[in-house]
């Protein structure tokens, strides 16, 4: 009785692992297939979407955050690519990020809680 129970459990675990693996594989394939140029640039601050731009806009704008507006990230959209030109955050990871242009790509500035993402408007 006990033995068959634990066997059953192992079998269920294996099925679960297989399901998870195939789901993630399918997800990965779909992700790869649908990876294409985005057309919208979305800027979220602290999890809320604050600004939206078209990726065809050529612009340079300061994104100001912080309780006393002490944080600045300079966002540039140019030739269908988006990048952070400069920022006064301590780690500068966002500035060092390569330009993004594909649907689903993001640049994150953790210290300033900013997420810049490229999406595709349906
Ligand atoms: Zn940063």
């Amino acid at each position: 009785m006990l033995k068959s129970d634990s066997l059953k459990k192992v079998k269920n675990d294996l099925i679960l692992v297989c399901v998870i693996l195939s789901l993630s594989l399918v997800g990965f394939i779909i992700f790869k297939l649908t990876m294409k140029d985005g057309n919208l640039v979305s800027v979220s601050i602290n999890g809320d979407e604050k600004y939206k731009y078209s990726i065809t806009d050529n612009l340079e704008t300061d994104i100001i955050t912080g309780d006393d507006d002490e944080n600045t990230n300079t966002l540039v959209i140019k030739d269908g690519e988006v990048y952070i030109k400069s920022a006064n955050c301590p780690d500068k990871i966002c500035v060092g990020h390569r330009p993004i242009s594909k649907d689903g790509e993001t640049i994150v500035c953790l210290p300033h809680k900013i997420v810049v993402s490229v999406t595709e408007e349906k």
Side-chain angles (χ1 to χ4, degrees):
M1 192 64 177
L2 232 166
K3 199 182 167 199
S4 86
D5 268 3
S6 63
L7 262 178
K8 205 172 165 189
K9 195 162 179 274
V10 168
K11 202 178 160 196
N12 282 343
D13 284 353
L14 277 177
I15 291 170
L16 190 68
V17 166
C18 288
V19 167
I20 291 171
L21 279 181
S22 35
L23 277 183
S24 54
L25 185 68
V26 167
F28 181 73
I29 290 169
I30 290 173
F31 178 74
K32 279 288 170 196
L33 284 177
T34 55
M35 187 102 173
K36 55 191 167 193
D37 290 347
N39 54 15
L40 264 187
V41 180
S42 144
V43 179
S44 296
I45 298 166
N46 225 338
D48 297 319
E49 189 175 67
K50 288 278 186 221
Y51 308 105
K52 256 186 174 178
Y53 307 100
S54 165
I55 202 156
T56 53
D57 290 344
N58 282 320
L59 60 82
E60 182 173 327
T61 181
D62 285 341
I63 299 163
I64 311 291
T65 52
D67 294 335
D68 302 308
D69 293 345
E70 73 275 26
N71 301 332
T72 307
N73 293 63
T74 305
L75 177 80
V76 175
I77 303 173
K78 192 170 180 284
D79 301 329
E81 292 190 320
V82 187
Y83 59 96
I84 304 283
K85 187 183 175 189
S86 61
N88 61 355
C89 59
D91 60 15
K92 300 271 194 291
I93 288 174
C94 53
V95 181
H97 200 289
R98 66 182 176 79
I100 58 174
S101 60
K102 303 281 184 216
D103 184 21
E105 287 187 311
T106 56
I107 299 176
V108 180
C109 181
L110 222 49
H112 293 176
K113 301 192 182 76
I114 294 173
V115 178
V116 179
S117 56
V118 174
T119 55
E120 216 227 342
E121 193 161 55
K122 301 286 183 298

